[in-house]
Amino acid sequence: MGTGGVRAGDVGAGGVGTGIDHRILSALRARGADPRVAGAARALSWAGEHGALWLAAGLAGAAVDRPRHRAWLRATALTAGAHLASMGVKRIVRRPRPAHVEPLVRTAGRHSFPSSHATSAAAAAVAYGTLGAYAVPPLAVAMCLSRLVVGVHYPSDVAAGAVLGALTARMGARWMQDGAHGVHSVHSGRGGAHD
């Protein structure tokens, strides 16, 4: 037992959440009492399962934006990689999901830290935002908030996931942009009868 009535396991990523985590989550979960809010949060949570929404968006971008096809595919790969990284961290940390609120959705796994929905959303916001998909960042924020409204993550899970996703996309930014420029350099570097 720690001092002040707080157990050591209650604090930090591996524990069950801090007091402020509990209070913020309870307040946002209460918003789910409105059926419209609950419906929107459920839909976002469902769409973001395993990064599906963001992977589909990246592949759609690659199909539509042919000159930057390779950059879109690389941005999609970064988003998928961020999601996989979050799943790896979850297996190490093994923080249980919140138990003090009633969840509005079922979850694919029982571990909470970090939020994989937030990780893939933030990675997509950074990667696709760089390519001009300006609608993605606000949708990513809504996705992150939805995980609190449906009551399956602590705010610190979502924050950590968003940081992980954004950092993954930022670290791969040059590789992604090389995909856009590579198309032009290949074409300009060729000559003769093969053009």
Side-chain angles (χ1 to χ4, degrees):
M1 281 282 197
T3 59
V6 178
R7 293 175 298 173
D10 288 345
V11 181
V16 294
T18 63
I20 193 158
D21 255 342
H22 279 253
R23 289 192 294 275
I24 294 172
L25 174 57
S26 295
L28 287 170
R29 172 60 188 82
R31 300 290 182 193
D34 182 328
R36 292 168 300 180
V37 174
R42 281 193 188 103
L44 282 168
S45 285
W46 177 81
E49 200 66 54
H50 303 297
L53 173 65
W54 312 116
L55 299 180
L59 293 175
V64 171
D65 189 358
R66 297 303 299 173
R68 296 187 299 174
H69 174 80
R70 187 180 299 174
W72 276 101
L73 290 180
R74 290 184 177 188
T76 305
L78 285 172
T79 302
H83 185 83
L84 290 173
S86 74
M87 291 173 64
V89 174
K90 271 186 178 173
R91 289 180 182 272
I92 295 167
V93 176
R94 304 177 72 83
R95 181 193 220 179
R97 291 195 185 269
H100 70 287
V101 294
E102 185 70 28
L104 294 178
V105 295
R106 292 186 178 207
T107 57
R110 55 197 170 113
H111 299 129
S112 188
F113 183 95
S115 164
S116 294
H117 278 69
T119 303
S120 55
V126 172
Y128 302 162
T130 301
L131 293 171
Y134 301 121
V136 173
L139 185 58
V141 170
M143 177 74 73
C144 290
L145 289 173
S146 77
R147 301 305 279 167
L148 301 172
V149 173
V150 298
V152 296
H153 281 291
Y154 294 106
S156 54
D157 299 333
V158 172
V163 168
L164 175 60
L167 284 176
T168 301
R170 292 299 288 167
M171 288 191 305
R174 175 168 284 183
W175 175 70
M176 186 187 78
Q177 289 300 333
D178 284 348
H181 302 309
V183 174
H184 303 299
S185 61
V186 166
H187 289 302
S188 61
R190 288 180 180 174
H194 295 291
D195 278 346

